[in-house]
Amino acid sequence: MKEILKKRVLIPIIAVTLLIAGSSFKGDFFEIAKQIEIFTTLFKELNMNYVDETNPAELMDTAIKNMLEELDPYTKFLNEQDVESFKINNAGEYSGIGAIVRSYKDKIVIVEPYKGYPADKAGLKAGDEIIKIGDIAIADVKDDADELLKGASNTSVGITYVRQGETKSTTVNRESIEVDAVPYYKMINDNTGYIVLLKFNKKATEQTKKALLDLKNDGAKKIILDLRDNPGGLLSEAINVTNLFIPKGELVVTTKSKVKKFNREYKTTNQPVDTEIPLVVLVNGRSASASEIVSGSLQDLDRAVIVGARSFGKGLVQRPLKLTYGTQLKVTISRYYTASGRCIQSLDYWNRDENGNAVKNTQFRDFKTKNGRKVQDGGGVLPDIEIAAAKTNTLTQALLSGNVIFDYATDYYYNNTLENVLDFSFNDVDFTSFKNYVSKSNFDFETKAEKALKEAMAGEDSALYNNSVTANYKSLLLEMDKSKIMALDKYKAEIQKNLEDEILKRYFYREGLYDYHLQNDEAIMTASVLLNDNSKYRDILK
């Protein structure tokens, strides 16, 4: 009964009420006032008269979050803790244990400890499952258990964790943590520099500029800028990073909104570092938002050759709007358009299929770069040179989101010795081992065909099918399961790339991973070869 009240009555009314934050009072003042009055009355009567005790704060929190789920995934309500986390993410500084973590109901999993920071010093490894922080069991904490890991510098916290089935404990001394936007840069050869830009926090431009200048001082005549796996961040940093390679006064991105004040043209405002140095930008399916502004506009301005795989396709801009009691609404306010005028948003959250999923854009419009090359909108940034192993597919995505690759890497680490990063080789025997691991795991990946088949057999007409049809149905599902294991071979290159990356971080941290990439990564090697062929590089940009 309680759930029905929340879903059917409260949510629609709250939805109408909260949407006024982005509405104009001019045309619908009466309707807005009416809905506010209805909501206020309903909320009061519900809490006064419902048969069981209600928690007004929880009811409201549930209602808000359910309402926002009907919009896009980037429009979110931020409570006071969320607001602080949002600031930390953009600033690139906080005080804590220095590790990426993933939270569950009864545990917190260490995803990646930063080299030389408290978690690493205390001996915590990727895959460790924290079950208690101090005297508090994670299972007893309702929300945001990972906040317990944060705290003032020079304070200690006891941690109980499980590693490979064995319960252990350690003490972590919190420190001030600085999250680098550029964790790595290095010369690939005598004349080519390589820069990894991993996020667009407030340090992005400063650190990218420093890396660029250092590499030029070391003799770099060509640059590879790696934006793979960069989820984005601050719009201002995306514009300023682009500005490092293009002149002052150049249009980089335009934002368009129904609210007139959010319609803006963003041009470069600083003197560039180098507008002539040959440049290749690497992207993949996890390069999003600010990464796509940089790569898309450098492509539109014919300033760089893009190499890799089609980017994520997030062309929506968010802004935090202050609410009461220290809370905020991070709301999508506009779409952004790269220098050529294209919007690379891939999913249409305002037109959904019968299952409520956002529709993926499949119809693309043509645009022209500065030199007249054809580029398209609506599906991320398409590279000038595509790398097959960098492409994403639903199977690989399912293995990543289901943490199958992560968990296999954990087992690999505790069963294999590796002393030197350049000695690492993930061979066919290892891949067979991975396939066996997948087949024995709880990995559950449902294809569209399976889903449609199950829905058909569970429909109103299912009673019409005889035993033979039912038996064939079950047999077909079994064969589909087998074929999914076989599909691991079809996507071996993409899967193996993700396996290698995850495994190498366990032994050598990110620095070792990037050292390995310089010698073995197909996209980097392709970019390096291209930059050494000036004629081909120029032909692509013509």
XYZ file of all heavy atoms in Angstrom, residues 238-252 266-276 279 297-298 301-304 339 370:
272
model
N 37.186 22.171 -20.622
C 37.187 21.624 -21.986
C 37.538 22.718 -22.993
O 38.328 22.501 -23.925
C 35.820 21.025 -22.310
N 36.983 23.905 -22.799
C 37.250 25.021 -23.707
C 38.711 25.460 -23.589
O 39.394 25.699 -24.589
C 36.305 26.201 -23.391
C 34.859 25.792 -23.694
C 36.683 27.438 -24.196
C 33.825 26.651 -23.016
N 39.204 25.529 -22.354
C 40.582 25.992 -22.152
C 41.620 24.975 -22.614
O 42.702 25.357 -23.070
C 40.797 26.338 -20.678
C 40.040 27.593 -20.263
O 39.769 28.466 -21.090
N 39.687 27.688 -18.989
N 41.319 23.675 -22.485
C 42.236 22.658 -23.015
C 42.281 22.753 -24.537
O 43.358 22.681 -25.148
C 41.804 21.242 -22.572
C 42.546 20.172 -23.381
C 42.073 21.042 -21.085
N 41.123 22.922 -25.166
C 41.074 23.106 -26.619
C 41.883 24.334 -27.015
O 42.596 24.341 -28.028
C 39.617 23.262 -27.096
O 38.834 22.182 -26.600
C 39.533 23.289 -28.618
N 41.795 25.387 -26.207
C 42.487 26.655 -26.452
C 44.009 26.498 -26.488
O 44.713 27.312 -27.095
C 42.092 27.642 -25.358
C 42.453 29.089 -25.667
O 42.087 29.983 -24.923
N 43.169 29.352 -26.753
N 44.541 25.438 -25.860
C 45.991 25.220 -25.891
C 46.488 25.008 -27.311
O 47.656 25.279 -27.616
C 46.359 23.999 -25.041
C 46.060 24.070 -23.537
C 46.374 22.734 -22.874
C 46.862 25.200 -22.885
N 45.578 24.563 -28.196
C 45.985 24.191 -29.564
C 45.363 25.063 -30.653
O 45.682 24.885 -31.828
C 45.607 22.727 -29.827
C 46.220 21.762 -28.851
C 45.482 21.271 -27.780
C 47.536 21.356 -28.992
C 46.046 20.391 -26.867
C 48.106 20.475 -28.085
C 47.370 19.987 -27.013
N 44.472 25.973 -30.269
C 43.835 26.832 -31.277
C 43.907 28.288 -30.835
O 44.035 28.576 -29.638
C 42.371 26.432 -31.543
C 41.520 26.607 -30.280
C 42.287 25.001 -32.051
C 40.045 26.381 -30.522
N 43.800 29.240 -31.770
C 44.002 30.660 -31.445
C 42.916 31.231 -30.529
O 41.825 30.683 -30.385
C 43.953 31.345 -32.822
C 44.193 30.263 -33.813
C 43.632 29.017 -33.219
N 43.247 32.351 -29.929
C 42.297 33.113 -29.134
C 41.172 33.629 -30.025
O 41.406 34.018 -31.169
C 43.035 34.290 -28.468
C 42.169 35.165 -27.581
C 43.008 36.278 -26.962
C 42.157 37.184 -26.082
N 42.969 38.270 -25.470
N 39.929 33.608 -29.511
C 38.796 34.130 -30.261
C 38.096 33.116 -31.138
O 37.142 33.462 -31.847
N 38.502 31.849 -31.097
C 37.898 30.797 -31.933
C 36.688 30.196 -31.207
O 36.732 29.910 -30.014
C 38.928 29.711 -32.198
C 38.546 28.734 -33.282
C 38.842 29.271 -34.675
O 40.003 29.618 -34.959
O 37.880 29.335 -35.473
N 35.587 30.003 -31.944
C 34.398 29.374 -31.378
C 34.667 27.887 -31.143
O 35.075 27.169 -32.051
C 33.197 29.538 -32.325
C 31.899 28.850 -31.874
C 31.362 29.496 -30.607
C 30.856 28.891 -32.990
N 34.421 27.425 -29.912
C 34.635 26.021 -29.566
C 33.314 25.285 -29.428
O 33.120 24.201 -29.973
C 35.439 25.891 -28.251
C 35.568 24.429 -27.828
C 36.816 26.514 -28.408
N 30.754 29.877 -26.656
C 31.994 29.850 -25.889
C 33.183 29.900 -26.845
O 33.390 28.981 -27.633
C 32.063 28.593 -25.028
C 31.041 28.554 -23.922
C 29.775 28.026 -24.142
C 31.343 29.046 -22.652
C 28.824 27.984 -23.133
C 30.404 29.012 -21.632
C 29.148 28.481 -21.877
O 28.216 28.447 -20.872
N 33.937 30.977 -26.751
C 35.116 31.140 -27.590
C 36.372 31.086 -26.721
O 36.318 31.319 -25.511
C 35.058 32.474 -28.336
C 33.903 32.562 -29.332
C 33.926 33.882 -30.096
C 32.790 33.942 -31.118
N 32.800 35.211 -31.892
N 37.473 30.781 -27.351
C 38.741 30.743 -26.618
C 39.125 32.160 -26.198
O 38.928 33.118 -26.952
C 39.845 30.139 -27.489
O 39.866 30.804 -28.759
C 39.591 28.653 -27.729
N 39.688 32.277 -25.000
C 40.000 33.606 -24.450
C 41.474 33.794 -24.126
O 41.878 34.886 -23.725
C 39.175 33.844 -23.164
O 39.472 32.810 -22.226
C 37.681 33.855 -23.459
N 42.253 32.729 -24.290
C 43.669 32.797 -23.911
C 44.580 32.648 -25.120
O 44.152 32.195 -26.195
C 44.004 31.700 -22.899
C 43.127 31.763 -21.676
O 42.925 32.835 -21.105
N 42.587 30.616 -21.269
N 45.845 33.007 -24.936
C 46.828 32.763 -25.984
C 47.164 31.268 -25.991
O 47.369 30.675 -24.929
C 48.093 33.587 -25.739
C 47.895 35.085 -25.902
C 47.431 35.469 -27.297
O 47.823 34.851 -28.295
N 46.581 36.491 -27.375
N 47.212 30.641 -27.149
C 47.485 29.195 -27.219
C 48.948 28.891 -26.929
O 49.791 29.787 -26.915
C 47.140 28.850 -28.668
C 47.411 30.124 -29.421
C 47.021 31.237 -28.482
N 49.216 27.609 -26.694
C 50.601 27.157 -26.527
C 51.217 26.868 -27.880
O 52.347 27.275 -28.170
C 50.668 25.899 -25.635
C 52.084 25.318 -25.621
C 50.228 26.239 -24.217
N 50.476 26.155 -28.741
C 51.013 25.787 -30.056
C 49.864 25.473 -31.006
O 49.129 24.500 -30.799
C 51.926 24.568 -29.930
C 52.801 24.363 -31.159
O 52.319 24.611 -32.282
O 53.960 23.939 -31.009
N 49.685 26.282 -32.034
C 48.597 26.077 -33.003
C 49.031 25.271 -34.226
O 48.223 25.002 -35.105
C 48.039 27.431 -33.487
O 49.093 28.154 -34.144
C 47.491 28.236 -32.329
N 50.309 24.894 -34.270
C 50.826 24.224 -35.461
C 51.270 22.785 -35.223
O 51.304 21.973 -36.157
C 52.017 25.017 -36.025
C 51.681 26.437 -36.466
C 50.721 26.447 -37.662
O 50.765 25.493 -38.462
O 49.932 27.416 -37.767
N 48.846 17.003 -34.188
C 48.140 16.516 -33.006
C 47.192 15.375 -33.366
O 46.408 15.478 -34.311
C 47.348 17.676 -32.385
C 46.457 17.383 -31.186
C 47.283 16.962 -29.974
C 45.611 18.628 -30.853
N 35.474 19.390 -31.373
C 35.797 20.716 -31.903
C 37.169 20.756 -32.574
O 37.353 21.443 -33.579
C 35.715 21.758 -30.781
O 34.366 21.972 -30.416
N 38.145 20.015 -32.027
C 39.447 19.934 -32.708
C 39.303 19.252 -34.068
O 40.010 19.585 -35.019
C 40.454 19.183 -31.834
C 40.953 19.926 -30.589
C 41.821 19.023 -29.731
C 41.727 21.194 -30.982
N 37.532 21.840 -36.406
C 38.439 22.918 -36.805
C 39.649 22.404 -37.587
O 40.559 23.170 -37.892
C 38.916 23.680 -35.560
C 37.801 24.399 -34.772
C 38.322 24.883 -33.429
C 37.248 25.567 -35.587
N 39.625 21.084 -37.880
C 40.718 20.441 -38.627
C 42.067 20.662 -37.954
O 43.109 20.788 -38.606
C 40.769 20.957 -40.073
C 39.483 20.661 -40.825
O 39.122 19.470 -40.925
O 38.819 21.611 -41.285
N 42.025 20.696 -36.615
C 43.253 20.922 -35.853
C 43.897 19.623 -35.391
O 45.082 19.600 -35.020
C 42.933 21.819 -34.637
C 44.126 22.135 -33.739
C 45.209 22.893 -34.485
N 46.434 23.020 -33.698
C 47.419 22.137 -33.663
N 47.339 21.006 -34.378
N 48.504 22.355 -32.958
N 43.132 18.518 -35.405
C 43.671 17.240 -34.949
C 43.010 16.098 -35.700
O 41.867 16.208 -36.153
C 43.443 17.072 -33.449
N 32.057 23.033 -32.758
C 32.378 24.178 -33.622
C 31.640 24.166 -34.964
O 31.286 25.220 -35.497
C 33.886 24.234 -33.851
N 35.997 22.919 -40.881
C 36.534 24.180 -41.402
C 37.085 24.021 -42.817
O 36.943 24.912 -43.659
C 37.630 24.684 -40.458
C 38.024 26.127 -40.654
C 38.968 26.577 -39.539
C 39.266 28.063 -39.649
N 40.154 28.522 -38.529
